Amino acid sequence: MDSLIKLFLCLYGVLFTSLLFAEINGVEGSEKNHRLYGFRPTKLFVFGDSYADTGNVKKSLSSSWKFPYGITFPGKPAGRFSDGRVATDFLAKFVGIKSPIPYFWKNYAGKKRLQYGMNFAYGGTGVFNTQVPLPNMTTQIDFFKNILNAGDIYTPSNLISSVALVSVAGNDYSTFISQNRPASDFPAFIKQVVDQTEVNLRRIHALGVKKVAVPLLQPLGCLPGITFASSFQRCNETQNALVRLHNSLLQQAVVKLNNEIKQSTFIIIDLYNAFLNVFNNKGANPGSTTFQSPLKPCCVGVSSEYFCGSVDEKGVKKYMICDDPKSAFFWDDSHPTEEGWRSVYSLLHESLTASFMKA
């Protein structure tokens, strides 16, 4: 149980700390990608947590508004819990559009900027309520539904060529641990999380979204907050076994949904194996960076009481960063660097192309 507690306390850090204002400009997609699909994606709607959030939580709540976050893109702290672009940006690039505006900032964006969709993800949240008093995924979908019903930004007819990203990266499990529930209840709770995720996927599709991309959980036992115990040399396989249970149940749910609809509407994004393949890449995967120490983060606190971006009461920095963020897969103790995400999506390109081409 102690190892589970360490894992999910680390997860809490992963998913809560990406609470920041998003830079308006994302990664712009190419016309080439548009021609890969049976439909032309024009909008991306995003739901989930800090792996997808690009700025929905108030600036005052996030350490990621502090230097050195954002040093690669856009050159200053600006809304992504990384040195630069994150998963949402790379999926937007893949489908051929600009990264969607965060929901929190919709009233500050022009109508042209809103045409690419909207990001409803809030760092720290989960499928159910977590320790963070922010909108869970059910509420995020409610926001989306309300916008559609209002009809002044999007209407159901606009969604024929839309894509959704639904990120569930583990905050529900950190909350489970914080409640001191018995470890024997864990498998049943994993099933509850996946069952509610299935309900959420049905709702998003019923609102008119054409394709729904669902990432598997990344190998949480490989996060630097866990691997520091082995000097960032090896993953915790006991913890990854729990992740595989979640992923197995989620894949079963997606197969069931697609069989019911008689279409390949729901798409699995295999982050679990993509992360592992990047970690193990020795040059055999063209387009994916070879990271010499893939489990070691670029930005860390000078001691266990500090973290990336920490300063003391005098404003003296209490963190260290690597010489080149492009040389590291992980930015901090939980989140990939921009180069890490780029490498992951480079490996995923072929499977995503095949999935999006299916009717």
Side-chain angles (χ1 to χ4, degrees), residues 17 51 77 117 129 245 262 299 316 338 348 352:
T17 47
Y51 267 34
N129 289 335
L245 173 59
K262 309 298 184 185
C299 185
V316 176
E338 175 175 307
L348 289 168
L352 281 175

Side-chain angles (χ1 to χ4, degrees), residues 128 172-173 175-176 181 185-194:
F128 302 116
D172 296 287
Y173 300 135
T175 300
F176 176 94
R181 294 170 62 178
D185 288 353
F186 215 96
F189 182 68
I190 291 175
K191 187 175 186 305
Q192 290 174 23
V193 170
V194 173

